[in-house]
């Protein structure tokens, strides 16, 4: 079950580097030594079952959770224990699309999109609104949507607005947390295409977590599988069907039989 | 099993919770005085707490003053001491009833709303989203509410003082047959600056406590709708209890001989 040695795609230093990252909640060990490299401008999808620690992994990189052990570097700088203004500076380079978009209910759509520009970058509201309208157009939404409240949007529109907010500051790195969860297959496909388009347009590095395999295949250059708190396989998306890893094979085919056992509580 | 163990565990849990609350309060207060400050958010909270609470506080203290005059009369009439009613009303209202009743009403109205709003933001990842957008949630969510709570409560209590005394005046003059001018003169002569100041100090402290408990329980809420519901209840209950405890402590500080 050990991770295969990762062949570097190029000589550039990794944009994100994780080594031996461990995270536990009380007695429950969620991450037990994650090693992962994400190179500039590549799109990596971390796959894994529910409860495998994918969201925790993402929150550790974002600084929303602090690992007990290990090191996380962004652009070669350690960010594991960075807080306050330094963390704000790191996060200024990052965009994030949350699972349920996490739009601010109290603000209109355009202000949600422009939030990072107004509050984080201290941009004038009028200038930020112009950018917000442009970003909404990039994700296929008209300027009239900007005046709506998030409560008036459908699930697909919320994801689009979340995506517009994630790319509003032209970030270096964009994280996607289950980008297609809760959407019908067609809308899921549309969101995937938008993600690929926007990531290329901005020229960003993308890290996504999902257990939706069709979506993962569409948006990734490379995949990594997380199982029991460790990355057990990484490789190019095109080669995942020939991974030779029983865990990966079971997961991508959604087979009930295999080395992965669902932990069910006994009745 | 050692019977002391659960007691020890409960005590350590209490210390841990207290430490967490104190730390939360210190971080929140420190963000009130460090830039950037968000005037727009502070103003919105001030309007929510100050302006929209005026009817609730005004009505509560008005009827408290009316009842106080009526009850005092039934008691004092036995000793022919009806003349003390204006002083009893003004002292009770300014020192105790106006700040405590306003505090409890604001705990129910504002503390609950703060806990529900921040709790919902927590469980829908909006607070996480703030952090990823380079915005400190303490500065953006907690500090404006603390500032608005501390600054608006004294103003509400001032209004409550006026309404409470007016309630006593209405009952005394129009129901109990007091002379209007004598009632006002007696009230004015008896009340001292310290009576009003102590009530305003209480109000500022209560405003801080209500905002703090609302923000703390909302910010720390976990576990979906049930967690938000529990946070709302805890915010109101803990703020109400703290108001009563601090009311005694501040009274002791101002008036103990």
């Amino acid at each position: 079950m050990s991770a295969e040695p990762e062949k570097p795609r190029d000589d550039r230093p990794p944009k994100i580097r994780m080594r031996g990252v461990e995270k536990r909640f009380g007695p429950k060990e969620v991450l037990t030594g994650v090693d992962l490299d994400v190179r500039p401008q590549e799109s990596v999808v971390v796959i894994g079952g529910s409860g495998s620690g994918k969201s925790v992994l993402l929150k550790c990189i974002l600084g929303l959770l602090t690992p007990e052990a290990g090191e996380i570097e962004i652009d070669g700088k350690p960010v594991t224990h960075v807080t306050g203004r330094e963390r704000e500076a790191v996060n200024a380079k990052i965009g994030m699309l949350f699972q349920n978009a996490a739009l601010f209910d109290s603000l209109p759509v355009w202000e949600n999109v422009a939030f990072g520009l107004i509050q984080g970058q201290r941009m004038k509201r009028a200038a930020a609104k112009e950018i917000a309208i442009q970003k909404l157009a990039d994700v296929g939404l008209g300027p009239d949507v900007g005046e709506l409240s998030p409560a008036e949007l459908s699930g697909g529109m919320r994801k689009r607005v979340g995506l517009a907010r994630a790319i509003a500051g032209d970030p270096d790195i964009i994280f996607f947390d289950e980008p297609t969860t809760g959407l019908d297959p067609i809308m899921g496909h549309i969101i995937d295409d938008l993600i690929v388009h926007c990531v290329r347009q901005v020229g960003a590095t993308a890290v996504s977590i999902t257990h939706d395999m069709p979506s993962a295949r569409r948006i990734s250059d490379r995949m990594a599988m997380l199982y029991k708190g460790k990355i057990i396989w990484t490789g190019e998306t095109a080669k995942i069907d020939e991974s030779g890893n029983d865990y990966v094979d079971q997961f991508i085919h959604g087979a009930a039989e295999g080395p992965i056992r669902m932990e069910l509580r006994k009745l | 099993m050692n019977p002391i163990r659960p007691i020890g565990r409960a005590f350590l849990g209490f210390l841990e919770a207290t430490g967490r609350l104190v730390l939360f309060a210190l971080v929140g207060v420190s963000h009130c005085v460090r830039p950037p400050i968000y005037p727009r958010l502070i103003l919105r909270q001030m309007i929510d707490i100050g302006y929209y609470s005026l009817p609730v506080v005004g009505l509560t203290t008005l009827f408290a003053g009316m009842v106080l005059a009526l009850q005092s009369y039934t008691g004092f009439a036995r000793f022919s001491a009806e003349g003390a009613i204006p002083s009893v009303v003004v002292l009770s209202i300014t020192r105790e009833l106006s700040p405590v009743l306003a505090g409890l009403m604001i705990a129910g109205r504002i503390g609950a709303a703060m806990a529900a709003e921040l709790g919902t933001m927590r469980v829908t990842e909006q607070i996480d989203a703030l952090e990823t957008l380079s915005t400190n949630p303490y500065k953006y969510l907690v500090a404006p509410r603390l500032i608005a709570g501390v600054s608006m409560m004294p103003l509400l209590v001032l209004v409550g003082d006026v309404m409470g005394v007016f309630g006593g005046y209405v009952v005394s003059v129009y129901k109990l047959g007091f002379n209007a001018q004598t009632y006002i003169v007696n009230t004015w002569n008896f009340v001292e600056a310290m009576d009003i100041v102590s009530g305003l100090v209480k109000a500022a402290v209560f405003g801080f406590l209500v905002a703090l408990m609302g923000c703390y329980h909302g910010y720390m809420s976990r576990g979906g709708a049930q967690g938000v519901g529990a946070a709302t209840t805890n915010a109101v209950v803990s703020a109400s209890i703290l108001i009563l405890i601090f009311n005694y402590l501040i009274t002791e500080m101002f008036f103990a001989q």
Side-chain angles (χ1 to χ4, degrees):
Chain A
M1 200 175 88
S2 61
E4 288 180 359
E6 198 176 327
K7 290 177 188 171
R9 278 156 49 91
D10 53 38
D11 295 333
R12 290 178 295 173
K15 192 81 178 167
I16 302 169
R17 185 172 182 271
M18 302 179 80
R19 284 294 177 272
V21 174
E22 294 177 17
K23 181 67 192 171
R24 73 173 67 88
F25 297 98
K28 185 175 169 59
E29 292 182 329
V30 180
L31 302 179
T32 54
V34 169
D35 298 330
L36 181 68
D37 285 347
V38 181
R39 296 200 153 67
Q41 291 177 321
E42 80 170 340
S43 174
V44 172
V45 170
V46 179
I47 57 172
S50 302
S52 59
K54 302 190 297 294
S55 293
V56 173
L57 174 77
L58 214 55
K59 286 183 176 180
C60 285
I61 305 174
L62 284 164
L64 299 173
L65 294 172
T66 306
E68 270 84 37
E71 194 60 75
I72 301 170
E73 293 175 5
I74 293 179
D75 287 328
K77 290 177 189 158
V79 296
T80 321
H81 301 287
V82 161
T83 55
R85 290 275 162 85
E86 282 181 274
R87 170 52 71 177
E88 286 174 21
V90 172
N91 283 353
K93 297 192 287 188
I94 290 174
M96 168 82 187
L97 172 59
F98 285 87
Q99 189 170 344
N100 294 308
L103 302 179
F104 304 124
D105 304 321
S106 56
L107 302 176
V109 165
W110 79 263
E111 219 170 323
N112 264 280
V113 177
F115 191 90
L117 304 173
I118 296 171
Q119 306 299 347
Q121 299 180 22
R122 299 268 140 199
M123 191 182 281
K124 289 260 166 45
R125 289 172 69 83
K129 187 172 184 177
E130 267 185 46
I131 294 174
I133 299 295
Q134 179 56 50
K135 296 296 177 184
L136 284 171
D138 289 346
V139 297
L141 296 172
D144 50 322
V145 176
E147 303 301 329
L148 298 177
S149 152
E152 297 174 83
L153 304 180
S154 67
M157 287 169 89
R158 290 177 71 86
K159 288 275 185 185
R160 287 178 191 228
V161 174
L163 180 57
R165 185 172 71 181
I167 60 170
D170 293 331
D172 286 349
I173 305 166
I174 311 180
F175 295 97
F176 300 97
D177 183 0
E178 310 270 8
T180 54
T181 297
L183 300 179
D184 65 73
I186 298 169
M187 184 52 75
H189 202 139
I190 292 169
I191 293 292
D192 285 341
D193 289 346
L194 278 173
I195 287 173
V196 172
H197 171 73
C198 292
V199 168
R200 282 192 189 141
Q201 190 181 40
V202 177
T205 305
V207 179
S208 315
I209 57 171
T210 186
H211 43 58
D212 177 358
M213 281 311 297
S215 168
R217 286 175 194 273
R218 282 194 288 265
I219 63 176
S220 66
D221 302 319
R222 208 153 56 86
M223 287 200 215
M225 175 146 174
L226 188 66
Y227 180 66
K228 290 201 168 172
K230 278 192 167 69
I231 299 289
I232 59 165
W233 179 86
T234 59
E236 288 180 25
T237 302
K239 295 178 182 169
I240 193 165
D241 292 311
E242 296 93 42
S243 70
N245 185 306
D246 293 341
Y247 293 86
V248 175
D249 283 344
Q250 185 190 353
F251 187 82
I252 62 175
H253 294 114
E257 295 300 320
I260 302 174
R261 295 280 171 208
M262 286 292 148
E263 289 176 12
L264 298 176
R265 195 179 292 170
K266 287 177 184 171
L267 292 171
Chain B
M1 195 178 119
N2 188 345
I4 302 295
R5 192 175 288 174
I7 300 170
R9 196 177 293 139
F11 182 67
L12 287 177
F14 171 75
L15 287 183
E16 192 186 333
T18 308
R20 223 175 11 233
L21 174 62
V22 170
L23 213 57
F24 183 90
L26 289 175
V27 175
V29 169
S30 78
H31 281 289
C32 292
V33 292
R34 281 188 292 158
I37 304 287
Y38 297 102
R40 190 188 292 257
L41 295 177
I42 295 171
L43 188 66
R44 190 189 299 167
Q45 292 300 324
M46 282 179 159
I47 292 169
D48 255 7
I49 298 174
Y51 181 70
Y52 289 117
S53 301
L54 274 174
V56 177
V57 172
L59 278 175
T60 308
T61 47
L62 175 75
F63 283 102
M66 291 168 79
V67 168
L68 192 61
L70 213 52
Q71 289 284 25
S72 305
Y73 183 79
T74 56
F76 289 174
R78 295 176 198 168
F79 314 106
S80 302
E82 297 93 332
I85 288 177
S87 55
V88 168
V89 169
V90 74
L91 280 191
S92 308
I93 289 287
T94 53
R95 286 185 180 190
E96 296 296 331
L97 287 177
S98 181
V100 171
L101 289 177
L104 294 176
M105 296 309 284
I106 296 299
R109 206 187 92 78
I110 298 296
M114 284 181 183
E117 188 179 356
L118 267 63
T120 306
M121 289 186 75
R122 166 62 73 195
V123 300
T124 56
E125 295 185 309
Q126 290 179 51
I127 292 181
D128 288 346
L130 276 178
E131 291 197 48
T132 64
L133 292 163
S134 302
T135 303
N136 190 315
Y138 281 94
K139 207 172 273 302
Y140 189 80
L141 297 174
V142 179
R145 285 166 171 80
L146 292 179
I147 292 170
V150 171
S151 57
M152 283 295 104
M153 267 299 283
L155 295 179
L156 281 172
V157 166
L158 261 186
V159 173
D161 288 348
V162 173
M163 293 300 286
V165 171
F166 178 68
Y169 167 87
V170 167
V171 167
S172 302
V173 172
Y174 296 104
K175 187 170 173 60
L176 306 176
F178 276 61
N179 176 281
Q181 194 179 356
T182 312
Y183 188 95
I184 293 169
V185 170
N186 278 356
T187 300
W188 187 254
N189 286 343
F190 209 85
V191 71
E192 290 178 8
M194 189 51 77
D195 300 325
I196 294 167
V197 169
S198 71
L200 297 185
V201 170
K202 284 181 180 181
V205 173
F206 298 167
F208 175 77
L209 291 173
V210 168
L212 177 67
M213 299 319 286
C215 291
Y216 174 76
H217 287 288
Y219 197 91
M220 298 293 174
S221 71
R222 296 280 183 277
Q226 199 178 16
V228 176
T232 308
T233 308
N234 290 338
V236 176
V237 171
S238 56
S240 303
I241 291 172
L242 284 174
I243 282 172
L244 297 175
I245 293 171
F246 274 81
N247 183 45
Y248 173 77
L249 294 176
I250 298 170
T251 304
E252 179 89 20
M253 192 177 85
F254 272 99
F255 299 109
Q257 297 299 316

